Amino acid sequence: MVSRACRHGGAEYSGQVTQPIKDFYAVIPAGGIGSRLWPLSRADAPKFLHDLTGSGHSLLRDTWDRLEPLAGHDRIAVVTGRAHRAAVEEQLPGIPDFNVFLESEPRESAAAIGLAAAILHRRDPDVIIGSFSADHVIRGTRVFEFAVRDAVEVARQGYICTIGITPTEPAVGFGYIKQGEELVVDGAREASLVESFVEKPDLETARSYVADRSYLWNAGMFIAKASVLLEELAENEPELYAGLVELAEAWDDREQRGPAVDRIWPRLKKIAIDYAVAEPAAKRGRLAVVPGHFDWDDVGDFASLTKLINNGRKNDLAVLGPKARVLSDAASGILVSQTSRVISLIGVQDIVVVDTPDALLVTTVEHAQRVKGVVESLKLTGRGDVL
Amino acid sequence: MVSRACRHGGAEYSGQVTQPIKDFYAVIPAGGIGSRLWPLSRADAPKFLHDLTGSGHSLLRDTWDRLEPLAGHDRIAVVTGRAHRAAVEEQLPGIPDFNVFLESEPRESAAAIGLAAAILHRRDPDVIIGSFSADHVIRGTRVFEFAVRDAVEVARQGYICTIGITPTEPAVGFGYIKQGEELVVDGAREASLVESFVEKPDLETARSYVADRSYLWNAGMFIAKASVLLEELAENEPELYAGLVELAEAWDDREQRGPAVDRIWPRLKKIAIDYAVAEPAAKRGRLAVVPGHFDWDDVGDFASLTKLINNGRKNDLAVLGPKARVLSDAASGILVSQTSRVISLIGVQDIVVVDTPDALLVTTVEHAQRVKGVVESLKLTGRGDVL
């Protein structure tokens, strides 16, 4: 049991006062490019490799640092594309080779998380995995840790447990989770069954959700025994399940792994874990939720990034980019610069300017969602060199 | 009389049907940087060296091409800074050396035009000079030629004659000329005395000027016998006059010119020709005006440039820059690019984006006037490298 031995070693190594959680293994799917953050995010420089908070670290590294006290430094697996291997290892210099799960091409979250579950379950049938996006921003690490510890205790009882964020405003950019019957679980302060998942609402509906207090933001965090997650997958997506199990069997054999990935991975169904696992599990009363009382944002577009950096202050100009030389006069919004050019913004409100060596975006906070459409157009018009 | 001989040669050389105007010599002061067009216009790439109309030629070259049929190719003098000599000669490959008057530093329009008047008067006491800015845009060349020919006939009678543009809208960015008593001059279709000069008006006043029909835009064009212009200068600015005459006496002696410029030029008073010559002459009944019924713009800022390129159409995005790869969605205003970057503008109205290798400006048509303030700030904050 290599992983067990390493886990204890990890706790000593990191010098943490808090002990890593028993049986827990963190999984970080590091996949999406973040098209709505173009031209900052690119195919070869996806969102999770950027420092969007000014912390001095990439979002991936921040995610790792948050999870390391909970899992131990050698019990955090990263699922990412082959193309990002070098960048990921540069961001996470201590990551053991056996914790890097490389996809030959993107297959969405059910395949990515399912692969991790299948591999880790084969190594340790009792493992409890927790999946956390590589490119979300969280503030309030201690509160986050409490929520994860609670969720693991709920998962230990055989539930798939998500962490739902208590809303601070009627956001229309997130999906919501409606809490149902309360769950009493030893070692977990707060937990409920999930009554239902709700797609992104309109503003009026979002307002009613916030007023109702039983709705939480769906932050895409799932904590479950790997065995339970795989059972659910076998039930709902049997072909996907079979492919993942076959892959996992070959995985830890260096000679078999490569051919198995090439043979099996490209044929796996592209489906989000929400649809393949979470929603069916909710219908069967098998999905629980622990409320997370910390600040969370998926930083999905420049409007969200602006709000994050300006801490909600309007009329401020947020600047990301240490080399930019900025001169602004009556300007608000966000300026992201990857160059050392002199940039002058005059009399532009809620503006979004993203300055990179080969591409420039100028839009407004209001139109930030439309950036994805530009990326599609660039693909169609043969300008993929800047994507 | 080298210049006479060359003039006739010039008419043959250019193959023009229209003959150059007798005694006429065109003067092009090529001085101002055009700070409100930063970062397109720079100290080392002033406005007159740019193609702002998409004609494929610089404004200086366009100016030259307009004047060549009227003056002959070797009777057009350019007054410019020493630093711009090479650029000017590149733009005007046929310009004879004796028509390039180099300033050691900028001394404003009275010194620049006065120097040309003094030199050309010394070479030919009967010369009639016409001064035309190097960085204005004119459309309607034939109508322009009529106006200049009329103005020269008026000047031949001893008047200083300006060409005032018939207004097409209540512009607040230009000064106005109020026409007075009609002048009847052989060979000139329309001419009046100038009653007064009016500074840039507010919108209401501008509207009353346009309704009144006796007001014209001051386009800074002056046509006069060099002797008359110098007399007026001697009367109003005797020290400036004395310095210019001393300079002119040394000018055509290669050994004397350099030391004379270094000694005299830096001490000359900085004053606009409007104040040193035109306004005093108007008070003495010596200033005439011929109306110009052609399109004219001084392209003073990006608002003006936007209007010029969009031909007044709102909701269009004007693009200057052959190498830019532009993708716009619900954007209007102007994009000027000197790079080959992909530039995407989304949902920004009346925007001004100026993309250069080392500086980027984002503002709006409404705030275009404030660009000059940025240039001042850049000077003060030690970022003159991009000015």
Side-chain angles (χ1 to χ4, degrees):
Chain A
M1 299 286 285
V2 170
S3 53
R4 271 305 157 95
C6 290
R7 178 165 67 91
H8 295 302
E12 283 155 28
Y13 165 85
S14 68
Q16 294 289 333
V17 175
T18 51
Q19 288 292 309
I21 306 165
K22 182 172 180 296
D23 299 322
F24 184 60
Y25 218 107
V27 174
I28 306 178
I33 290 169
S35 298
R36 281 170 299 164
L37 291 176
W38 179 88
L40 180 63
S41 292
R42 308 283 184 105
D44 61 355
K47 184 181 154 197
F48 62 81
L49 293 176
H50 291 279
D51 169 15
L52 296 186
T53 62
S55 73
H57 298 122
S58 66
L59 295 180
L60 172 63
R61 177 78 215 188
D62 285 340
T63 305
W64 171 281
D65 287 345
R66 254 193 316 274
L67 293 168
E68 202 265 334
L70 297 168
H73 83 286
D74 52 5
R75 287 175 66 92
I76 306 174
V78 176
V79 190
T80 194
R82 282 178 182 165
H84 303 310
R85 179 185 196 152
V88 165
E89 289 178 347
E90 195 191 320
Q91 289 297 313
L92 311 174
I95 191 168
D97 193 48
F98 59 79
N99 275 341
V100 181
F101 301 160
L102 295 177
E103 309 166 324
S104 56
E105 56 179 78
R107 293 271 100 183
E108 296 217 7
S109 59
I113 298 168
L115 174 67
I119 296 170
L120 296 173
H121 177 256
R122 200 162 181 281
R123 293 182 188 166
D124 172 7
D126 296 328
V127 73
I128 295 173
I129 67 166
S131 163
F132 304 88
S133 290
D135 57 8
H136 292 179
V137 169
I138 285 171
R139 282 173 180 159
T141 302
R142 211 174 142 68
V143 187
F144 169 76
E145 287 181 15
F146 280 132
V148 175
R149 287 176 186 277
D150 285 6
V152 171
E153 293 315 309
V154 175
R156 220 182 279 285
Q157 303 303 315
Y159 293 98
I160 296 175
C161 187
T162 184
I163 297 174
I165 314 301
T166 47
T168 50
E169 58 172 348
V172 296
F174 306 140
Y176 285 70
I177 294 167
K178 181 160 172 54
Q179 299 173 88
E181 196 185 320
E182 197 182 347
L183 273 182
V184 180
V185 172
D186 260 6
R189 275 145 291 210
E190 296 176 87
S192 324
L193 285 175
V194 169
E195 190 175 304
S196 60
F197 281 86
V198 193
E199 298 284 336
K200 295 175 185 177
D202 60 26
L203 186 61
E204 200 185 338
T205 311
R207 285 199 178 114
S208 73
Y209 289 171
V210 176
D212 183 291
R213 290 185 160 275
S214 64
Y215 288 85
L216 303 169
W217 288 336
N218 179 6
M221 302 173 186
F222 294 102
I223 297 96
K225 285 186 183 168
S227 58
V228 171
L229 197 138
L230 290 168
E231 270 169 45
E232 198 61 46
L233 207 53
E235 185 78 28
N236 307 315
E237 298 290 343
E239 282 186 40
L240 177 56
Y241 168 78
L244 292 172
V245 169
E246 196 183 338
L247 255 177
E249 278 165 9
W251 200 267
D252 286 332
D253 181 322
R254 287 198 166 268
E255 282 179 24
Q256 283 188 54
R257 185 196 295 177
V261 170
D262 291 340
R263 188 177 71 248
I264 300 165
W265 189 257
R267 299 196 334 259
L268 295 182
K269 184 173 178 178
K270 283 186 171 184
I271 182 171
I273 189 136
D274 301 68
Y275 305 127
V277 172
E279 293 190 9
K283 288 207 178 83
R284 271 191 283 275
R286 210 176 185 185
L287 197 81
V289 61
V290 159
H293 306 293
F294 48 84
D295 284 347
W296 166 87
D297 203 306
D298 70 351
V299 207
D301 59 30
F302 287 112
S304 161
L305 183 58
T306 307
K307 209 169 70 181
L308 183 78
I309 299 184
N310 281 344
N311 277 317
R313 289 186 303 272
K314 294 278 281 180
N315 304 320
D316 270 22
L317 180 70
V319 177
L320 259 187
K323 290 186 296 179
R325 300 188 291 164
V326 184
L327 192 69
S328 71
D329 175 10
S332 68
I334 191 168
L335 167 64
V336 183
S337 177
Q338 298 187 312
T339 77
S340 59
R341 301 202 297 173
V342 166
I343 300 177
S344 179
L345 307 182
I346 307 174
V348 280
Q349 301 301 314
D350 294 324
I351 198 83
V352 172
V353 175
V354 185
D355 168 57
T356 78
D358 60 354
L360 170 67
L361 170 72
V362 180
T363 184
T364 64
V365 166
E366 185 195 352
H367 293 99
Q369 291 275 340
R370 292 165 79 169
V371 172
K372 197 167 186 168
V374 166
V375 170
E376 301 299 328
S377 297
L378 287 170
K379 264 182 213 158
L380 294 174
T381 54
R383 285 178 281 193
D385 57 309
V386 294
L387 292 181
Chain B
M1 297 286 286
V2 171
S3 54
R4 269 305 157 95
C6 290
R7 177 167 67 92
H8 296 300
E12 284 154 28
Y13 165 86
S14 68
Q16 294 289 331
V17 176
T18 51
Q19 289 291 312
I21 306 165
K22 184 172 178 299
D23 300 322
F24 184 60
Y25 218 110
V27 174
I28 305 176
I33 290 168
S35 298
R36 281 170 299 164
L37 291 176
W38 180 90
L40 181 63
S41 291
R42 308 283 185 104
D44 62 355
K47 185 182 154 196
F48 61 82
L49 292 177
H50 291 279
D51 169 15
L52 296 185
T53 63
S55 74
H57 298 122
S58 68
L59 295 181
L60 172 63
R61 177 77 216 190
D62 286 340
T63 305
W64 170 281
D65 288 344
R66 255 192 315 274
L67 294 168
E68 202 265 335
L70 297 168
H73 83 285
D74 52 4
R75 288 176 65 92
I76 306 173
V78 175
V79 191
T80 195
R82 282 178 181 164
H84 303 311
R85 178 187 196 150
V88 165
E89 290 178 345
E90 195 191 320
Q91 289 296 313
L92 312 174
I95 192 167
D97 193 50
F98 59 78
N99 276 341
V100 181
F101 302 159
L102 296 176
E103 309 167 323
S104 56
E105 56 178 79
R107 291 272 101 184
E108 296 219 6
S109 59
I113 299 167
L115 175 66
I119 296 169
L120 296 173
H121 178 256
R122 201 164 179 281
R123 292 181 189 168
D124 172 7
D126 297 327
V127 74
I128 294 172
I129 66 166
S131 163
F132 304 88
S133 291
D135 58 8
H136 292 178
V137 170
I138 285 172
R139 281 171 182 162
T141 303
R142 211 172 142 69
V143 187
F144 170 74
E145 287 180 15
F146 279 132
V148 175
R149 286 177 187 276
D150 285 6
V152 172
E153 293 315 309
V154 175
R156 220 181 280 285
Q157 303 302 317
Y159 292 100
I160 296 174
C161 187
T162 185
I163 297 173
I165 315 301
T166 47
T168 49
E169 58 171 349
V172 297
F174 306 141
Y176 285 71
I177 295 168
K178 179 157 172 56
Q179 300 173 87
E181 197 185 317
E182 197 183 345
L183 274 183
V184 180
V185 172
D186 260 6
R189 273 144 293 209
E190 297 177 85
S192 324
L193 285 176
V194 169
E195 191 176 305
S196 61
F197 282 86
V198 193
E199 298 283 335
K200 295 175 186 178
D202 60 27
L203 186 61
E204 200 184 338
T205 310
R207 284 198 179 117
S208 72
Y209 289 171
V210 176
D212 183 290
R213 288 185 161 273
S214 65
Y215 288 85
L216 303 168
W217 288 336
N218 179 6
M221 302 173 187
F222 295 101
I223 298 97
K225 285 186 184 170
S227 58
V228 171
L229 195 138
L230 290 168
E231 271 170 44
E232 198 63 44
L233 207 53
E235 186 76 27
N236 308 316
E237 298 289 344
E239 281 186 42
L240 177 56
Y241 168 78
L244 292 172
V245 168
E246 195 184 339
L247 255 177
E249 277 166 9
W251 200 268
D252 286 331
D253 181 322
R254 288 201 166 266
E255 282 180 22
Q256 285 188 53
R257 186 196 295 176
V261 170
D262 291 340
R263 187 178 70 248
I264 300 165
W265 189 256
R267 299 196 333 259
L268 296 182
K269 183 172 177 180
K270 284 187 171 183
I271 182 170
I273 190 139
D274 302 68
Y275 305 126
V277 171
E279 293 190 7
K283 290 208 177 87
R284 270 192 282 275
R286 210 175 185 185
L287 197 81
V289 60
V290 159
H293 305 292
F294 48 86
D295 284 349
W296 166 88
D297 203 306
D298 71 351
V299 207
D301 59 30
F302 287 113
S304 161
L305 183 59
T306 307
K307 210 169 67 179
L308 183 78
I309 300 184
N310 281 344
N311 278 315
R313 289 185 302 273
K314 294 279 281 180
N315 304 320
D316 270 21
L317 179 70
V319 177
L320 258 187
K323 290 187 295 180
R325 300 187 291 164
V326 184
L327 192 69
S328 72
D329 175 10
S332 69
I334 191 168
L335 166 64
V336 183
S337 177
Q338 298 187 310
T339 77
S340 59
R341 302 203 295 173
V342 166
I343 300 177
S344 180
L345 307 181
I346 306 175
V348 280
Q349 301 301 314
D350 294 323
I351 197 84
V352 173
V353 175
V354 185
D355 168 57
T356 78
D358 61 354
L360 170 68
L361 170 72
V362 180
T363 183
T364 64
V365 167
E366 185 195 353
H367 293 98
Q369 291 276 338
R370 293 165 78 169
V371 172
K372 197 167 187 168
V374 166
V375 170
E376 301 300 326
S377 297
L378 288 169
K379 265 184 212 157
L380 294 173
T381 54
R383 286 178 281 192
D385 57 309
V386 293
L387 292 180

